[in-house]
């Protein structure tokens, strides 16, 4: 061992600044490290009850039911589609980036006819266009509207409340199916108030767990729709999950250790309080955007009303390949940044700032971005981004008296 050339040793905190998976807090790691319990026993039943209640609180729902599977966001897309739709159904697919494209593709794979409502990367889904499209569907053929709340490829958060109002104004009965993978537990998400029919997510972003669980909140209307939905389904069928959950069990083996972790992460979110969690994410995101602007770089997101509070997609100047930049950042400082995806591959990199993150974590990440930009040859004024972020954080600090001499 001693003489073998191992992979490079890295001391200190890992800078996993991709927009998920996020760093798992120590408390969650410890909770997950306990001995496994029988997933058909009374202890697990009690744990499940607690976790389901906690998730309802996170989705801000009393009406909705929670459905969990071993899996990830991609599995949750499939669960959402196969339980609510039938082959040949038409849906309005809102597309403004890579993940919304894939969500629609998941539906198309089951024979769903997806009518795309496509806007450029960097733009939020315009509610008025949703309304227009639904109004023109006079025979009410469209069964559902598919939309990604926070498009992780672009750093754009669409306004789901406005999209719900668009459905209402059009008087259209379509189901509202929302991907909340990179927003839930970081950006305000109101399942009941926005009358969302299915909201889906994974464990590995705002919930601060390792990847491994697909999570859905489903409305009464969505459960009704599942009774007549004819897409083939077996593992992803939510009916047996809901039935067995009522008795504290699952139809197959759940990701037991993740339930320990989820209980702990829900406790942490509860200790901080949801409004404070949202405020923290908003403040760190704004500090990041201040830094990017001060570096002289452009955000991919166009409209401040749609800026994402969980990640920032940054455009590199023409002539620089962002994939190569991300590799360079990894090699030189061991910081992991998100690559450009879909139509902006090679053009943007993404800074994740969600989950278990504080001011100094963000500043460390921004220092890493700053240094690697410089060593990559991008003409940035070194330190300008950090100064801008620090000043913003000082001006908005809840606990620091900035008037002190
Ligand atoms: N939806 C969004 C918005 C995402 O950001 C991701 C992944 O990052 C997915 C879906 C796919 O989720 P997963 O990679 O967990 O399967």
């Amino acid at each position: 061992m001693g003489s073998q050339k191992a992979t490079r040793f890295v001391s200190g905190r890992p800078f996993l600044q991709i927009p998920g998976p996020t760093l798992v807090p120590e408390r969650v790691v410890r909770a997950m490290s306990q001995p496994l319990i029988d997933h058909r026993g009374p202890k697990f039943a009690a744990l499940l009850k607690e976790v389901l209640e906690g998730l309802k609180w996170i989705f801000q729902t009393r009406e909705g039911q929670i459905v969990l599977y071993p899996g990830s966001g991609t599995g949750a897309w499939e669960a959402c589609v196969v339980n609510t739709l039938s082959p040949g159904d038409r849906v309005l697919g809102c597309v403004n980036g890579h993940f919304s494209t894939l969500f629609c593709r998941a539906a198309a794979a089951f024979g769903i006819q997806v009518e795309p409502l496509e806007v450029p990367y960097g733009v939020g889904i315009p509610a008025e266009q949703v309304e227009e499209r639904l109004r023109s569907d006079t025979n009410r053929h469209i069964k559902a509207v598919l939309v990604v709340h926070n498009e992780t490829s672009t750093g754009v958060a669409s306004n789901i409340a406005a999209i719900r109002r668009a459905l209402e104004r059009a008087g259209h009965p379509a189901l509202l199916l929302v991907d909340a993978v990179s927003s839930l537990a970081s950006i305000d998400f109101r399942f009941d108030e926005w009358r969302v029919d299915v909201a889906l997510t994974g464990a590995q972003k705002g919930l601060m767990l390792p990847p491994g669980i697909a999570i859905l909140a489903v409305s009464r209307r969505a459960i009704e729709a599942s009774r007549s939905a004819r897409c083939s389904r077996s593992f992803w069928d939510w009916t047996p999950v809901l039935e067995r959950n009522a008795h504290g069990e699952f139809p197959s083996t759940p990701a037991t250790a993740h339930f320990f972790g989820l209980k702990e992460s829900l406790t942490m979110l509860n200790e901080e309080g949801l409004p404070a969690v949202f405020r923290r994410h908003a403040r760190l995101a704004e500090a990041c955007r201040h830094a990017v602007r001060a570096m002289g770089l452009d955000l991919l997101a166009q409209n401040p009303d749609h800026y994402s509070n969980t990640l920032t997609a940054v455009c590199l100047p023409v002539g620089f390949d962002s994939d190569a930049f991300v590799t360079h950042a990894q090699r030189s400082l061991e910081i992991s940044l998100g690559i450009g995806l879909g139509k902006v591959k090679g053009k943007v990199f993404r800074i994740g700032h969600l989950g278990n993150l504080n001011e100094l974590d963000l500043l460390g990440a921004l220092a890493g971005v700053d240094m690697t930009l410089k060593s990559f040859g991008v003409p940035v004024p070194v330190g300008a981004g950090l100064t801008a972020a620090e000043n913003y954080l000082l001006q908005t600090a809840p606990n620091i008296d900035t008037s002190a001499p």
Side-chain angles (χ1 to χ4, degrees), residues 19-20 71-77 99-100 102-103 148-153 179-183 200 202-205 211 341 350:
S72 71
T74 307
W77 282 336
F99 290 103
S100 39
L102 296 186
F103 188 14
V148 172
H149 183 204
N150 187 72
E151 185 34 92
T152 323
S153 63
D179 173 322
V181 170
S182 58
S183 57
L200 60 95
Q204 72 276 18
K205 302 208 190 239
L341 294 169
R350 295 168 301 142

Side-chain angles (χ1 to χ4, degrees), residues 7 72 87 122 131 133 159-160 259 267 276 282 286 288 296 322 342 352 395:
T7 48
S72 71
E131 182 178 344
R133 295 288 281 275
N159 186 337
I160 303 300
F259 281 74
T267 303
E286 188 54 35
C288 182
S322 67
Q395 282 153 19

Side-chain angles (χ1 to χ4, degrees), residues 48-68 184-185 188-193 199 201 207 215-220 223 242 245 262 266 269-270 274 278:
L48 173 63
K49 191 164 182 275
E50 207 171 329
V51 161
L52 293 178
E53 280 309 311
L55 285 170
K56 280 182 154 201
W57 166 73
I58 290 282
F59 278 100
Q60 302 189 52
T61 182
R62 284 170 196 269
E63 304 290 320
Q65 298 225 51
I66 304 296
V67 185
L68 302 169
L184 194 83
D188 199 2
F189 186 87
R190 305 181 183 191
F191 186 87
D192 282 1
E193 189 179 318
T201 193
L207 290 170
I215 304 168
L216 291 88
V218 301
S219 73
R220 221 172 280 159
I223 290 175
L242 288 168
N245 274 189
L262 192 46
L266 290 166
L269 290 163
N270 190 261
L274 267 190
F278 302 148

Side-chain angles (χ1 to χ4, degrees), residues 98-116:
H98 179 66
F99 290 103
S100 39
T101 302
L102 296 186
F103 188 14
C104 292
R105 211 173 278 167
F110 287 90
I112 313 298
Q113 294 178 43
V114 182
E115 278 186 28

